[in-house]
Amino acid sequence: MTKVVVLVVLVVFCNLLNSSTGDSVNVTDTTPDVVNIGALFSFNSTIGKVAKIAIESAVKDVNSNPDVLGGAKLKLTLLDSNYSGFLGMIEALTLLENKTVAIIGPQFSVTSHMVSHIANEFQVPLLSFASTDPTLSSLQYPYFVRTTRSDLFQMSAIADMVSYYGWRDVIALYVDDDYGRNGVAALGDKLAEKRCKISYKAPLRPRGTREEITNVLVTMALMESRVVVLHTYENWGLEVLNVARYLGLKNSGYVWIVTDWLFSVLDTESELTSNAMSDIQGVITLKMYTPDSKQKRKFMNKWKMNTPFGLNVYGLYAYDTVWILAKAIGEFFNQGGNISFTKDSRLSDSMSIFNEGNMLLHNIIQVNNMNGLTGPIRFNSDGDLMNPVYEIINVIGTGSKRIGFWSNYSGLSVLPPEVLYMKPPNRSSSNQQLYSVVWPGEMTQKPRGWAFSNNGKHLRIGVPNRVIYPEFVSQIKSTNMFHGYCIDVFTAALNLLPYGVSYMLIGFGDGQNNPKFDNLLRLITTDYYDAAVGDFSITTGRTKLVDFTQPYIDSSLVVVAPIRKLNSNAWAFLRPFTLQLWCVTGIFFPVAGVVVWILEHRINDDFRGPPKRQIGTILWFSFSTLFFSHKERTKSPLSRLVLIIWLFFVLILTSNYTASLTSILTVEQLSSSIKDIKSLITSDDPIGYQRGLFAENYLIEELNIDMSRLVPLNSAEAYEKALKDGPKKGGVAAVVDERAYMEVFLSTRCEFSIIGQEFTRIGWGFAFPRNSPLAIDMSTAILQLSENGDLQRIHDKWLTRSACSSQGVKQKVDRLQLKSFWGLFAIFGFACLVAFLVFLMHIIHQYSRHYPDSKEEVGEPSSRNSLQSDRLQTFISFVGKKEEVIKSRSKKRKMEKASIGNTGDDQYVTGDLKQKC
């Protein structure tokens, strides 16, 4: 670009006449009869030959309408840049010598970059109908106005398609100039937003020979990706596709997405040769969408009648560009603007600066609500036309099929944008839709989008050369071959892939110590290995380095410790309950008896009698309910309610006791000083682990166990010896390792067992580089192995467990705790409390009825205290009496009172009679 700018400066100033003067002369044109405009593009190009006729037609239509420019006429000067950026720059200077107020063009983005520098200096707006380079919209080119769609939106549409079909990598095949490089850069940015990428960039030299194109495509064929995005000019694009078909790059499995240049050719050329049509079969291309209108149909009919070739969409934008400029000039005149130029003494007499260029530029950008052949025209704040829409087209046979639309409003859709604009925007993945596609090779099934490169290289697959548990993976002695469970799963999954994979297994480790798996996985990130096969646990930290397949085995961490058989003794029946539970249960039994006695004592003869008998009844009744053998019948509704709850409590308690005791005396005969991982952490005993694997990091980083307590072990024999020796003899109290390893270890060692529950569930998977498509296909193959049963058969072949290892996962018998029954205790206690309160209120009510209070006599405090004591003794005596006796005595007292009252009345009548007499 620096050379281009220097060249521009040399051309502009080569005709300097006098560099010593600094004066300037103003020349003003007031209300001119003509307004000079220019057009700069390549007449012989596919776009240029259409644009030439469209621009001339638009100028004619503008000049025939006096309302547009208020009587002024547009004077158009057409210049042919003939595909040359240098020639286009020279011709732009020629247009500026004629006091041109605006230039339509340039056509090519490379020329626009050059001419934009000149336009900035002379303040002359450039209106390009075909320069789609996204970088031309930058603040560096304030006088550049794009009247067509930027490639930024086209690349957004391509990125959405790549994501829609589930591809991850694409190859960018492009012309190596400003147009191609900047378009591909925009594509890379949009793909990154979809978590996709350009895996390989294949630049083409502008106007490159067929041999050069062939060399580029041969190199491209060695890449894994089969999704190709072709971004070039229409002049050489068909040649590239022809070479691609010749090299077999248009066969099934490939995807070709071509930018909108292809449909410009299809719209313009009346017929393509049969070879050319064969070259573009199965291609997906884009086309700028222009809505149907009466104005557009009228123009196209006129075009067909007068023009021997077709009308492409760039011709429509060229026509509208003239009208945009004309309306801006008309508004310029309405605002009182005058076209004037200033001569600069640094330039020749023929070079002048357009004084009102900024005002005209503002009017161009502000042209709104104009309906052109391409639809409503309106610029956004970035200077781009609003509401960009592309048609997505699949070339099939001798024609084409529209498979959908793309808009920045709703993404991919089979509905036209006019319908979508009436709904709220929806870019969700479920709302993205396209019709079916016929891909290269006449395939209707969506291509996978990648394949192994055909460059003769083998995949370098790292395999841990472990020294412990060779059942999983190990190297065959004196060979470079590996076998084991992991290797068989890997090869079985490869056999299910629809393509062949060339690979070689490379051992990692010295064969004497287990290698660190994290070090092996890091070598994948440096491209030393292309993948890794082994017993790799899928952890969060490792997923940041590589991509794992679907887990082919589930595992978890477990604690393994020595066990001993429990010998039964005379007190074994006490083991089901803890001491705390025994104590609380023993207290509740007499409490239950006391509560029932209180509720039944006053109405039930079974709960009455001498004190010794009543105490015996309480104890007998409460403990006999344990066997549901109590003989005393309850009469009170309250006592029956309490008894029902108590019997339910006893039923639950005895059932759990029986089950626990049965388990202790029959099934579970094993015990260990280590109960679970928690008891192991709280102790100070040493812990064994397998060197280099997941358990080591988990014990240190997650469980915060001091490194001094951890003992690395390198073999199954070392495991056995350390566990047998124990902490007192320099061994370990337990070993923490993954369950898959421990099942193999325990299959022949019955003196050890898994203690407690497993924890930290994980899975094993094969490792591949990030975003590797092979990881996805291998995951699918592993799922197929699981579904058809092959995965289990491979497991049984290498990891079949003997009867010894199936003694049980849980060797610890959990004694029943008080906390397991606190709910029952609480319910029964609450029922007793409620029953007692109801009973107490009933007693008080009866006492108040049958023993009404007498008026207290006023006296000394000592006499009042004595009276209260007497009343308390009376109440206690009342509670202890049978309820029937109380009722009978109360009835008798009422009768006595009634008879006394009657006697008094008789005496009163007799006395009265005597007095009368």
Side-chain angles (χ1 to χ4, degrees):
M1 182 58 69
T2 303
K3 294 181 179 180
V4 173
V5 175
V6 171
L7 184 59
V8 172
V9 173
L10 290 175
V11 173
V12 172
F13 292 99
C14 65
N15 293 323
L16 290 176
L17 297 177
N18 187 1
S19 60
S20 60
T21 62
D23 299 332
S24 61
V25 180
N26 292 336
V27 177
T28 302
D29 294 329
T30 58
T31 315
D33 295 331
V34 296
V35 179
N36 294 322
I37 63 173
L40 181 61
F41 50 88
S42 297
F43 294 169
N44 294 327
S45 64
T46 301
I47 294 176
K49 64 182 182 181
V50 173
K52 183 175 183 297
I53 298 175
I55 291 174
E56 290 175 340
S57 177
V59 171
K60 181 179 178 181
D61 292 343
V62 169
N63 288 337
S64 62
N65 188 346
D67 296 334
V68 179
L69 298 178
K73 303 291 185 182
L74 292 180
K75 183 179 180 181
L76 175 66
T77 302
L78 291 169
L79 294 179
D80 186 4
S81 62
N82 197 23
Y83 299 101
S84 172
F86 175 77
L87 185 59
M89 181 184 59
I90 297 299
E91 291 176 341
L93 293 171
T94 301
L95 291 173
L96 294 176
E97 289 181 349
N98 297 329
K99 298 181 180 180
T100 301
V101 299
I103 298 176
I104 299 175
Q107 172 186 345
F108 296 106
S109 298
V110 175
T111 308
S112 296
H113 277 282
M114 298 180 181
V115 176
S116 292
H117 291 284
I118 301 175
N120 292 346
E121 294 296 329
F122 290 93
Q123 301 180 18
V124 175
L126 297 178
L127 290 82
S128 179
F129 58 88
S131 295
T132 56
D133 179 359
T135 62
L136 287 169
S137 299
S138 65
L139 298 176
Q140 185 181 8
Y141 308 113
Y143 281 87
F144 178 84
V145 179
R146 193 197 319 273
T147 58
T148 187
R149 303 298 183 184
S150 169
D151 277 339
L152 179 67
F153 304 110
Q154 183 173 204
M155 298 308 172
S156 296
I158 294 175
D160 281 354
M161 280 193 291
V162 172
S163 176
Y164 172 78
Y165 288 114
W167 301 315
R168 303 288 293 275
D169 299 343
V170 302
I171 294 175
L173 184 61
Y174 62 98
V175 60
D176 193 14
D177 60 9
D178 292 338
Y179 162 74
R181 285 191 300 270
N182 295 331
V184 169
L187 174 62
D189 293 339
K190 293 302 179 180
L191 286 172
E193 295 177 2
K194 303 294 182 180
R195 301 190 67 181
C196 305
K197 66 177 181 178
I198 298 175
S199 59
Y200 180 70
K201 294 182 179 181
L204 296 167
R205 187 175 69 87
R207 302 184 185 183
T209 63
R210 186 178 179 87
E211 181 180 359
E212 291 174 336
I213 295 174
T214 302
N215 293 335
V216 171
L217 293 184
V218 168
T219 304
M220 186 192 76
L222 301 178
M223 302 298 112
E224 292 184 355
S225 177
R226 290 294 182 263
V227 181
V228 184
V229 177
L230 178 58
H231 184 52
T232 183
Y233 298 112
E234 66 276 3
N235 310 69
W236 304 288
L238 292 176
E239 182 73 10
V240 173
L241 292 173
N242 179 259
V243 175
R245 185 169 70 92
Y246 174 78
L247 295 176
L249 304 183
K250 293 294 302 305
N251 297 333
S252 60
Y254 276 90
V255 176
W256 283 81
I257 302 176
V258 178
T259 51
D260 60 355
W261 62 264
L262 177 57
F263 222 82
S264 297
V265 175
L266 296 177
D267 280 343
T268 306
E269 304 298 334
S270 57
E271 288 187 9
L272 292 179
T273 63
S274 59
N275 285 336
M277 289 302 300
S278 297
D279 296 338
I280 62 176
Q281 289 301 301
V283 165
I284 294 180
T285 185
L286 293 95
K287 176 184 178 182
M288 285 183 284
Y289 173 75
T290 56
D292 188 28
S293 65
K294 181 178 180 180
Q295 181 184 2
K296 176 183 173 181
R297 290 194 300 270
K298 180 179 179 181
F299 183 82
M300 294 182 69
N301 292 333
K302 180 180 178 180
W303 184 279
K304 291 178 182 179
M305 294 175 59
N306 301 319
T307 310
F309 46 82
L311 173 65
N312 58 52
V313 69
Y314 285 100
L316 301 178
Y317 278 104
Y319 182 90
D320 284 348
T321 300
V322 176
W323 274 95
I324 292 173
L325 178 58
K327 286 184 174 294
I329 294 174
E331 185 64 23
F332 173 81
F333 288 148
N334 293 336
Q335 295 172 355
N338 293 319
I339 298 177
S340 63
F341 294 86
T342 297
K343 293 183 178 180
D344 196 316
S345 59
R346 297 172 299 171
L347 306 176
S348 63
D349 292 338
S350 59
M351 306 297 293
S352 303
I353 298 175
F354 181 26
N355 293 330
E356 289 79 14
N358 190 46
M359 182 178 178
L360 178 59
L361 175 66
H362 177 75
N363 287 333
I364 292 173
I365 299 298
Q366 293 300 317
V367 171
N368 292 327
N369 301 323
M370 170 184 165
N371 290 319
L373 300 181
T374 58
I377 296 174
R378 185 178 180 184
F379 293 94
N380 60 20
S381 58
D382 296 327
D384 293 316
L385 291 175
M386 299 184 68
N387 298 325
V389 181
Y390 284 86
E391 296 179 72
I392 303 174
I393 299 169
N394 180 209
V395 180
I396 305 172
T398 58
S400 60
K401 170 189 174 184
R402 183 170 64 195
I403 62 173
F405 299 90
W406 177 91
S407 68
N408 66 340
Y409 186 78
S410 295
L412 302 174
S413 175
V414 296
L415 300 176
E418 293 84 0
V419 177
L420 297 176
Y421 291 149
M422 300 173 64
K423 302 178 181 179
N426 189 349
R427 297 296 295 267
S428 63
S429 58
S430 60
N431 196 55
Q432 305 300 292
Q433 294 180 346
L434 290 176
Y435 289 123
S436 60
V437 177
V438 178
W439 306 97
E442 298 183 357
M443 298 293 294
T444 56
Q445 184 178 3
K446 184 200 75 173
R448 186 173 60 251
W450 74 280
F452 278 103
S453 58
N454 190 22
N455 54 13
K457 293 183 179 180
H458 297 279
L459 287 181
R460 292 172 53 87
I461 299 179
V463 180
N465 189 9
R466 54 171 31 261
V467 296
I468 184 173
Y469 303 125
E471 294 88 349
F472 293 97
V473 57
S474 61
Q475 186 172 2
I476 302 175
K477 292 183 179 181
S478 303
T479 66
N480 293 326
M481 301 175 63
F482 290 82
H483 67 169
Y485 169 70
C486 300
I487 301 300
D488 281 6
V489 173
F490 177 71
T491 54
L494 284 182
N495 292 334
L496 293 178
L497 298 181
Y499 48 86
V501 178
S502 179
Y503 67 94
M504 58 186 299
L505 302 178
I506 302 173
F508 178 78
D510 57 10
Q512 299 179 357
N513 296 287
N514 284 336
K516 286 187 172 294
F517 284 3
D518 288 345
N519 295 340
L520 171 57
L521 297 177
R522 287 191 183 95
L523 292 177
I524 297 179
T525 63
T526 62
D527 295 331
Y528 183 81
Y529 290 130
D530 299 311
V533 172
D535 44 339
F536 304 118
S537 301
I538 303 174
T539 64
T540 303
R542 291 174 179 176
T543 55
K544 297 178 181 178
L545 299 175
V546 295
D547 279 352
F548 285 96
T549 62
Q550 170 79 17
Y552 59 88
I553 188 174
D554 292 329
S555 187
S556 56
L557 290 181
V558 294
V559 178
V560 172
I563 56 174
R564 61 182 177 84
K565 287 190 176 182
L566 294 175
N567 297 322
S568 299
N569 54 47
W571 304 102
F573 68 90
L574 296 176
R575 288 178 56 199
F577 288 176
T578 61
L579 177 62
Q580 186 182 22
L581 182 56
W582 277 118
C583 294
V584 174
T585 303
I587 293 173
F588 262 73
F589 269 93
V591 168
V594 170
V595 171
V596 174
W597 177 84
I598 291 174
L599 299 176
E600 292 287 328
H601 173 68
R602 303 183 67 250
I603 61 175
N604 194 337
D605 291 336
D606 291 341
F607 291 88
R608 298 187 62 81
K612 290 184 179 180
R613 179 185 174 187
Q614 295 186 45
I615 294 174
T617 300
I618 291 173
L619 296 178
W620 164 255
F621 179 84
S622 61
F623 286 101
S624 63
T625 56
L626 181 64
F627 309 101
F628 305 97
S629 60
H630 53 283
K631 298 180 179 179
E632 293 78 6
R633 298 179 60 183
T634 55
K635 297 182 179 180
S636 172
L638 292 176
S639 62
R640 289 176 178 176
L641 175 63
V642 171
L643 184 59
I644 289 175
I645 297 175
W646 172 249
L647 291 177
F648 176 74
F649 169 80
V650 171
L651 175 64
I652 298 298
L653 199 66
T654 55
S655 299
N656 281 273
Y657 174 84
T658 304
S660 180
L661 183 62
T662 303
S663 177
I664 291 173
L665 297 179
T666 59
V667 180
E668 302 290 352
Q669 296 291 327
L670 304 176
S671 177
S672 171
S673 59
I674 302 298
K675 303 305 179 184
D676 51 25
I677 184 62
K678 293 182 180 179
S679 64
L680 184 61
I681 294 174
T682 55
S683 70
D684 294 329
D685 296 333
I687 303 171
Y689 68 94
Q690 188 177 170
R691 185 194 300 271
L693 298 189
F694 164 68
E696 177 181 0
N697 292 335
Y698 187 84
L699 290 172
I700 297 174
E701 298 176 3
E702 300 296 332
L703 300 183
N704 298 318
I705 297 177
D706 191 84
M707 187 65 185
S708 61
R709 292 182 57 193
L710 302 181
V711 180
L713 303 172
N714 291 322
S715 65
E717 291 73 18
Y719 273 37
E720 184 176 4
K721 183 178 184 305
L723 289 172
K724 286 182 177 180
D725 291 344
K728 296 181 179 180
K729 296 182 180 181
V732 297
V735 170
V736 176
D737 207 342
E738 296 182 43
R739 183 183 184 87
Y741 301 129
M742 291 295 93
E743 288 181 346
V744 175
F745 174 76
L746 296 175
S747 62
T748 57
R749 297 170 177 85
C750 298
E751 64 271 28
F752 310 110
S753 181
I754 295 175
I755 305 300
Q757 297 290 338
E758 59 188 22
F759 57 99
T760 312
R761 297 190 64 86
I762 52 178
W764 292 357
F766 304 130
F768 292 88
R770 297 295 300 272
N771 301 321
S772 171
L774 184 57
I776 300 175
D777 288 355
M778 286 293 289
S779 294
T780 303
I782 290 172
L783 290 176
Q784 293 179 5
L785 289 176
S786 178
E787 293 171 357
N788 61 27
D790 288 344
L791 198 60
Q792 184 62 43
R793 284 188 284 270
I794 297 173
H795 181 277
D796 295 340
K797 172 185 175 182
W798 290 97
L799 309 177
T800 301
R801 297 182 297 170
S802 68
C804 181
S805 65
S806 61
Q807 290 176 347
V809 176
K810 183 178 179 182
Q811 302 296 343
K812 168 180 175 270
V813 178
D814 291 332
R815 303 180 70 185
L816 298 177
Q817 306 288 328
L818 175 62
K819 62 182 179 181
S820 302
F821 301 95
W822 73 267
L824 287 173
F825 284 110
I827 293 173
F828 178 68
F830 179 76
C832 291
L833 179 61
V834 172
F836 179 76
L837 292 176
V838 173
F839 173 76
L840 183 61
M841 293 174 63
H842 178 66
I843 289 295
I844 294 173
H845 177 68
Q846 281 188 340
Y847 181 76
S848 64
R849 287 180 56 194
H850 300 297
Y851 288 84
D853 294 336
S854 59
K855 296 182 179 179
E856 295 186 7
E857 297 179 359
V858 179
E860 297 296 329
S862 59
S863 62
R864 288 199 300 268
N865 293 337
S866 176
L867 180 61
Q868 292 177 358
S869 177
D870 293 341
R871 293 186 63 190
L872 179 60
Q873 291 179 0
T874 303
F875 178 76
I876 295 175
S877 175
F878 172 80
V879 172
K881 292 180 180 180
K882 194 173 181 181
E883 186 171 347
E884 293 179 357
V885 175
I886 298 298
K887 292 181 178 179
S888 176
R889 180 178 176 182
S890 178
K891 183 177 181 181
K892 183 177 180 182
R893 290 180 61 185
K894 289 182 179 179
M895 292 176 63
E896 290 177 352
K897 289 182 178 180
S899 62
I900 292 173
N902 292 334
T903 304
D905 291 341
D906 293 341
Q907 291 177 353
Y908 175 80
V909 172
T910 302
D912 187 47
L913 290 174
K914 289 180 179 181
Q915 186 176 6
K916 288 182 178 179
C917 292

